Amino acid sequence: MLEPVLLRGEWRHASDPAGTFSPVDPSTREPLEESYPVSGIDDIERACAAALEAVVALRGIPPDRIARFLEDYAARIEAGAEALVDRAARETGLPRNPRLRQVELPRTIDQLRQGAAAARDRSWCRATLDTRHNIRSFYAPLGGPVVVFGPNNFPFAFNSVAGGDFVAAVAAGNPVIGKANTGHPGTTKLLAEEALAAARDCGLPPAIVQLIYRTPPDVGFGLVSHTAIGATGFTGSKSAGLRLKHAADAAGKPIYLEMSSVNPVFVLPGALAERLSSIARELFESCALGAGQFCTRPGVTVIQEDPRSEMFIAEVAALFGRTTPGTLLGGSGVEAIGRGIDELVTHGATIVVGGRAEAGPRYAFANTLLRTSGEAFLENPGALQAEAFGTVNLMVVARDAREMAKIAAALEGGLTGCIYSASTGGDDDAYGVLAPVLRQRVGRLLNDKMPTGVAVSPAMNHGGPYPATGHPGFTAVGIPASLLRFAALHCYDNVRAHRLPPEIGNRNPTGSMWRIIDGEWSQRDVLA
Amino acid sequence: MLEPVLLRGEWRHASDPAGTFSPVDPSTREPLEESYPVSGIDDIERACAAALEAVVALRGIPPDRIARFLEDYAARIEAGAEALVDRAARETGLPRNPRLRQVELPRTIDQLRQGAAAARDRSWCRATLDTRHNIRSFYAPLGGPVVVFGPNNFPFAFNSVAGGDFVAAVAAGNPVIGKANTGHPGTTKLLAEEALAAARDCGLPPAIVQLIYRTPPDVGFGLVSHTAIGATGFTGSKSAGLRLKHAADAAGKPIYLEMSSVNPVFVLPGALAERLSSIARELFESCALGAGQFCTRPGVTVIQEDPRSEMFIAEVAALFGRTTPGTLLGGSGVEAIGRGIDELVTHGATIVVGGRAEAGPRYAFANTLLRTSGEAFLENPGALQAEAFGTVNLMVVARDAREMAKIAAALEGGLTGCIYSASTGGDDDAYGVLAPVLRQRVGRLLNDKMPTGVAVSPAMNHGGPYPATGHPGFTAVGIPASLLRFAALHCYDNVRAHRLPPEIGNRNPTGSMWRIIDGEWSQRDVLA
């Protein structure tokens, strides 16, 4: 019995599926009983056609209704939490508590509610009025659906039909075609059922959310480059992301990618002198969160050679060594960690602790700490940033502050970079050398704080230079900024007043929306 | 005697040039006496290395100094206007007055001054402060130079070292590597001399502006994909733009393209009934501006079949036929117009007036009006949008309002779309059918106004869906919005107060900069 796809508001058989697959329970390595279709080009064409009808229907629907939909959906997720958590735990091996039930699900609900608030508030669309020339512009929906590819590591918060990209796309007024992550298709289906019910309740076109589970690669390329679509949001591996980017770029379709990041943590000597043990614990906990499968997990720690640096490595190694590793999302993850560690070792890193897959039924890999010198790192900076998506960290022992800055300069573009320094100001000279270099390599610069746990803040940047993402000006997390990825700049020049969209009319449509009127941000009306 | 390139603040011989070229006087078809080098990879490497040094130097320079530089440069252009206009007229064949001296040069100076005001004001960088979490972000310079390719049709206002992209890149804090348009290298050199003098006066790193004139294609691809660069701004032909885009995309480097646009004008029956002759004159004048070599020139006019539509065509044809065509920028333009018209005629358009190149010494092509039916247009919409970059317009006679909307739906993504309608409201039903469709195809929707003459307004969108540009969310004209193309989102998470850039510090750095503080746009300080 093959599970249905969701197209044009109907759960229906995939048309001419190119294959089937079943997810695997990571805690037993046993396939689950459900079977899901691999969609071919027919499903893509149907989804795109239905989405274009939804685009037209959405033009007549006020943002308040979209906000109500997001809130209704959030409430349904809250009400259905137990079933969702059960299914997600079974498909991902992630702990029910605190992870799924107490952290990720509330975050997902909060994102939906923040998206609703942004849609209702409308300030996100940056209405700009030049009343002297009667030229007015704002960010409007794309005119085509947003395709969302969700990653394997967040079954709720980055889910293709409930997570951050979904919320941003819908809050900006676009329908979504979700491509489930193949690791948790059942969780995604449960979410899509709630989304569809919420859309029906709120009188939205049901094709505001559609769902397929998997495609052959060429069908995926056809989807992101389809003439009908507005843009794509992708969170996942660099290899898959770059191939999709190539297809989308060639068709002139925007694609927003969140691909990978080494997330370096620099610990300056004064910080170690002050609080070695607490930093060791913070580092370990950040590395081990979600069994190390966070895109912001620290992959490299850079410290300076001195007696304390050896104590620090020893203390981190002890934490890595004595803690049972978490369950990984799948067997390919186990293999990929092994390959990543091999790459590091081949280029001169040595294993301090860990280094091999765990025995037993569940997918797991020993927590692994490696080390190398700053000089060795600078000889092979590319290879020594090899990704190992698990509780794996490479300690790089640099000679001095200048070598630390050189290491920072040799980093690939990443999401985050952290610097720990003495609270007394004793590290400030070293900070002054290092920070300007690191700043250019990352989207988010942190002080005295680990990078995991990406706050859903308007000031967040979950983005950064290529190849962490495909564009350094956009963030995937943080409302309302994340909405701007899924909007087009629409200008109205000399358009008659009664034909203007409410967002750029003389009257402030909400009474409180922020707009730029003749160069000043304001909540006022324009006097006609 | 080969003219020098400008690298690292020095006018020097091109290193190992791959060839030479001389511009041609379009009014005589005679080559001018100056000879310019085609730069090879050595010049690119030198320019990139010098620009990276300038990037570092600029980090220590406050925005006020950049503003002073732009103002100083503007004043120098004003003082040197006669020489600039002489050179530009000789290289482009564009009329000294009003075009170059009274319109384009003042516009260019105004853009520089608007850029200075934006740099000084700083509100463009959208500083966002979340004081509860101490997460702060803003748009910062890219960390690499901006490469600017200027087009042939605006020797000042879109010049690679003085025009809109240059202003936006520099006002956002980036150095520029200018690639002159090969049509007016001498004008560009004169401008670069003034820019360099202004940079020296203001104590900016001289590599804030560098200049090469031409490259072989593969060297150009190497430039836009160079690891050192931050982004590229390109204005020019679709074929060149798409090849550069391919190279930049593959390297993950942002490229902003303004490539081509058919700029449809829809004239509804009530508008013709009301003011046929004045619309005919507006249309002709818009088509003939700059000898039709504007990216916003109307290429297609769509009207409805009725007796007045024939009168309209006759009146437009008379204006086209009795007016001497302007001088074109070059011989390749004459050939391209011929090819474009051939393409239209091959697909069923008929020539109403014009249709061939002018005899005589100067480059010119007869003003050409063509016509076809809506039905024929819908059979070959791609071919009948063939570009003819001159005073050329295709009249499409549609059966009714629904066919007009179908034609709008068949348009390629463009910069602009205009609708003329009766002032009494008699066309409002037809407008209601047409406008939502046309809205999706263009960046700027106009009422009762031709698209040429792009105001430098904060609300302008000189952009639009692919293939008019490479991304629907950015504008090439309009300050401060155009600056955002050349900036990266920088987030500071838990960073200590004394280490924050002034833009996101507790104190408002100018006293008047607009920032988003905890969700509210404000000019206030944050209370520490």
Side-chain angles (χ1 to χ4, degrees), chain B residues 265-420:
Chain B
V265 174
F266 291 80
V267 186
L268 297 177
L272 279 193
E274 218 175 65
R275 51 193 204 279
L276 186 152
S277 293
S278 74
I279 297 173
R281 172 154 294 281
E282 281 179 60
L283 176 62
F284 166 69
E285 285 173 357
S286 185
C287 288
L289 208 60
Q293 302 161 114
F294 271 36
C295 32
T296 53
R297 172 193 48 89
V300 165
T301 308
V302 186
I303 52 180
Q304 269 186 48
E305 195 170 84
D306 71 16
R308 262 191 215 94
S309 64
E310 292 303 320
M311 287 168 58
F312 181 66
I313 293 173
E315 207 158 316
V316 176
L319 290 163
F320 271 62
R322 73 166 174 252
T323 313
T324 306
T327 302
L328 294 166
L329 294 157
S332 62
V334 178
E335 286 161 29
I337 293 172
R339 280 198 305 277
I341 291 173
D342 284 351
E343 176 84 355
L344 299 175
V345 169
T346 301
H347 291 88
T350 55
I351 293 173
V352 181
V353 63
R356 61 183 61 163
E358 296 277 292
R362 66 194 187 100
Y363 292 125
F365 200 102
N367 301 331
T368 301
L369 189 72
L370 301 99
R371 68 178 292 167
T372 193
S373 67
E375 196 181 351
F377 186 89
L378 290 170
E379 275 167 24
N380 285 296
L384 289 168
Q385 291 174 70
E387 188 169 53
F389 205 59
T391 305
V392 179
N393 192 273
L394 172 65
M395 288 271 175
V396 180
V397 184
R399 200 174 308 124
D400 52 26
R402 283 193 47 225
E403 196 171 84
M404 284 180 122
K406 277 191 194 161
I407 291 165
L411 293 168
E412 283 205 323
L415 297 170
T416 72
C418 304
I419 306 178
Y420 279 72

Side-chain angles (χ1 to χ4, degrees), chain B residues 48-62:
Chain B
C48 286
L52 282 186
E53 290 168 23
V55 162
V56 172
L58 281 164
R59 274 181 214 146
I61 289 175

